Amino acid sequence: MWRHQKFNESTRVLITCAILILVGSAYTQATKVSRQVYEQDLSAEQAKYVALQTKVEAAQQELDDSMDEVEVLRVEADEKAKLQIAEAEKQALQLVKEAESKADTIVSKAEDEAASVAQSQLNEAKEEAADLIAQAEQEASALKAAAANESSSYSAAAAPTSQKFQNCTDLRGTYPGGVSSDHAAYQPSMDRDKDGWACE
């Protein structure tokens, strides 16, 4: 019986050791599995991080490239704006010159028309004055002729064949309108303009 009891204790010890070995082995195996899973998960996360970092760097590079393109476009826009402003100023200056030229042409035309109108009016005034002068001369000639006829008739009827006066004032006392060259009182010295009429 003692042997049987001893055998049971030995078996229990062996079973306990086996169980401990199995448990330890299982724990070790589980630990190995857990570590492998952890390492795999860690590697996967690291890979994800690397991929994400790569994407971030690519995005940063695209952003830098975009900023460079934006700067190039800004410079081009500035240059284009400067060219457009210069062209607009050039066109504005050209329009101003054309307007000034048109204004000068209009003013010159107006001056020419005004000068033409003034010259025409002056010519008309001269013609009217010439007509008035001619009419006045005709009337004066008619008056002189009438006075001469009257003086001749009066002289032939009443005056002596020869009359002498000291000067025109003396002569006008008798003949207020003067005398013609065929009158007895006519003296060449009293006919200053030599028109055949003395003391007119």
Side-chain angles (χ1 to χ4, degrees):
M1 182 163 179
W2 178 81
R3 287 181 180 178
H4 181 71
Q5 185 177 2
K6 188 176 181 181
F7 175 78
N8 288 337
E9 290 178 359
S10 297
T11 302
R12 190 180 301 130
V13 170
L14 288 173
I15 291 172
T16 302
C17 288
I19 291 172
L20 289 174
I21 290 171
L22 289 173
V23 170
S25 177
Y27 176 77
T28 302
Q29 188 66 28
T31 302
K32 287 182 179 180
V33 171
S34 298
R35 185 174 182 82
Q36 288 177 355
V37 172
Y38 171 76
E39 289 178 352
Q40 290 176 356
D41 291 343
L42 180 60
S43 297
E45 292 298 326
Q46 288 178 345
K48 290 181 181 179
Y49 175 78
V50 171
L52 183 59
Q53 185 67 25
T54 302
K55 289 182 179 180
V56 170
E57 292 176 355
Q60 184 64 42
Q61 184 62 40
E62 289 180 0
L63 179 60
D64 294 339
D65 293 340
S66 297
M67 292 299 294
D68 292 339
E69 291 178 0
V70 168
E71 182 63 20
V72 171
L73 291 174
R74 186 188 67 79
V75 173
E76 291 178 352
D78 289 343
E79 293 296 328
K80 187 175 181 180
K82 289 179 181 179
L83 291 175
Q84 289 177 346
I85 291 172
E87 183 65 22
E89 290 177 349
K90 183 178 179 181
Q91 291 178 357
L93 182 61
Q94 183 66 28
L95 290 174
V96 170
K97 289 183 178 179
E98 291 177 359
E100 290 178 348
S101 178
K102 288 181 179 179
D104 292 340
T105 301
I106 292 172
V107 170
S108 178
K109 185 177 180 180
E111 290 177 348
D112 292 342
E113 291 178 354
S116 177
V117 171
Q119 185 64 38
S120 176
Q121 292 177 349
L122 179 61
N123 292 335
E124 291 178 358
K126 286 182 178 180
E127 291 177 358
E128 291 179 0
D131 292 340
L132 291 174
I133 291 172
Q135 184 178 356
E137 288 178 349
Q138 289 177 357
E139 291 178 356
S141 297
L143 290 173
K144 284 184 178 181
N149 291 332
E150 183 179 354
S151 177
S152 297
S153 298
Y154 179 79
S155 296
T161 57
S162 178
Q163 289 181 313
K164 296 292 181 180
F165 296 92
Q166 297 293 327
N167 50 43
C168 285
T169 302
D170 189 17
L171 186 144
R172 288 193 191 98
T174 304
Y175 306 106
V179 295
S180 62
S181 58
D182 57 352
H183 195 276
Y186 176 83
Q187 297 180 41
S189 60
M190 295 182 183
D191 187 3
R192 294 182 180 180
D193 54 5
K194 307 302 180 184
D195 64 346
W197 196 274
C199 301
E200 65 270 25

